[in-house]
Each structure stands twice: as C-alpha cells, then as structure tokens.
Amino acid sequence: MIDPLAGRPAYQQLADLLREGISSGKYPPRTPLPSAKTLSQEHGIAVGTVMRAFDMLREEGLVRTVAGRGVWVLPKD
Amino acid sequence: MIDPLAGRPAYQQLADLLREGISSGKYPPRTPLPSAKTLSQEHGIAVGTVMRAFDMLREEGLVRTVAGRGVWVLPKD
DNA sequence: GCCCATTTGTACGTATGTATG
DNA sequence: GCATACATACGTACAAATGGG
C-alpha cells in the first residue's frame, strides 16, 4: 500500500513495492511490469508519479524501459 | 539557449548549461545557482522542468540542494 | 517564540510527442 | 491507421525547510 502519510514520498514507496515484486519473483526477468496507467489506477496516484518510480528502477539497473512496449525486468547479471 | 526543437529534452539542455556554468567558473564553488523560479522565467520553462535538471546535477555530485536555501555548488574533491 | 518571504520537494491532472506492434 | 505505452512538459497547489525581522 501507498500511504500519503508515511513520510516517504509516493514515488519511493512505489519503487519499493516494485523492487520487492522483482526480487520475490512476482515480476520475473524478461517480463514487463504493469503499465504506468494500470499502476496509477491501482494505487491511486498520478501517472507522472509512476514514471518517476520507473526512473529510479532504471537508474538502478533493475529494468529497461521501452517506449511503446513497457518496462521490462532485466535478468540478474 | 534552450531550444524545444533541439531533439534533446529541455531538462537535459538546462543541466548542460548549468554544468557548463559550474566548470567555467560562472557559478563558483560554495555559491548558489539561481533559484528554480528564476531559471524557469529566464528560460521560459516550467519550474518542474528546472527541478528535474537539479536532480541530475545532484545525482552527479556537482551540487547539494537544500530546501529553503537553494542549490549550492560543491567544491571539486 | 511567531510571522513572513523564499526556495526546494512532492504530487496532481492534462496535453502532446515518440515508439512499438 | 490505430491502440497501447513510455517520455517530456506544462501550470498549479501544497508541504517542508530555512533565515530574517
């Protein structure tokens, strides 16, 4: 859950959730995460906020984002 | 100048300009960059776009941002 | 301690661009 | 051409931190 009163910003909380989903196997390598639109609706946050979480994961090397295709989980090196 | 038709996004172009200003001595160490509001007006871009450029410089370790005080150029290590 | 102005930080909703299939 | 999805950008609104009076 994303809690507006958690002190931690929403985009960081979402990045945490996605990171968890990746390491737990909920989002396996070579599969896409849910789309930004889907995540924004499921969590009640703006699309731009979701994109910011995507930015973090990309910078961390966990995913690769492809316009028109989605955000893909990278295999562990 | 920031050119909307340059192919490169505005926030990256601004980060380039600020990086240049830092390395050229226009923005010396231990001094603040112009505020986000000032930069947005000078370049005709949104405040949010300026903040995104600030994010880049911070991640690169070139500046330190302090809410309420500004964006400060760090001395070279 | 309390207001006030300034400044960064987060978030929203919307619009448009670009890429993919 | 069309639908989907990420990418950029806008303008706005508040929140939070800082410093001065």
Side-chain angles (χ1 to χ4, degrees), chain B residues 3-34:
Chain B
D3 176 8
L5 308 178
R8 235 169 128 60
Y11 72 90
Q12 283 184 19
Q13 292 184 51
L14 177 57
D16 291 344
L17 288 176
L18 296 174
R19 240 181 261 112
E20 258 181 56
I22 289 172
S23 66
S24 75
K26 177 175 179 183
Y27 305 124
R30 303 179 186 285
T31 67
L33 300 183

Side-chain angles (χ1 to χ4, degrees), chain A residues 1-2 12-22 27 43:
Chain A
M1 260 294 293
I2 291 190
Q12 283 183 20
Q13 292 183 53
L14 176 57
D16 291 344
L17 289 176
L18 296 174
R19 240 182 262 110
E20 258 181 55
I22 289 173
Y27 304 124
H43 294 95

Side-chain angles (χ1 to χ4, degrees), chain B residues 32-71:
Chain B
L33 300 183
S35 76
K37 187 179 175 188
T38 299
L39 288 170
S40 80
Q41 291 170 345
E42 285 180 353
H43 294 95
I45 61 182
V47 176
T49 305
V50 176
M51 295 303 294
R52 196 160 171 185
F54 286 171
D55 285 343
M56 293 187 68
L57 301 181
R58 189 179 45 221
E59 282 161 20
E60 293 165 12
L62 292 177
V63 301
R64 189 170 155 226
T65 60
V66 185
R69 287 270 295 141
V71 178

Side-chain angles (χ1 to χ4, degrees), chain A residues 9-11 45-46 49 52 69:
Chain A
Y11 71 91
I45 60 181
T49 305
R52 197 161 172 186
R69 285 268 293 144

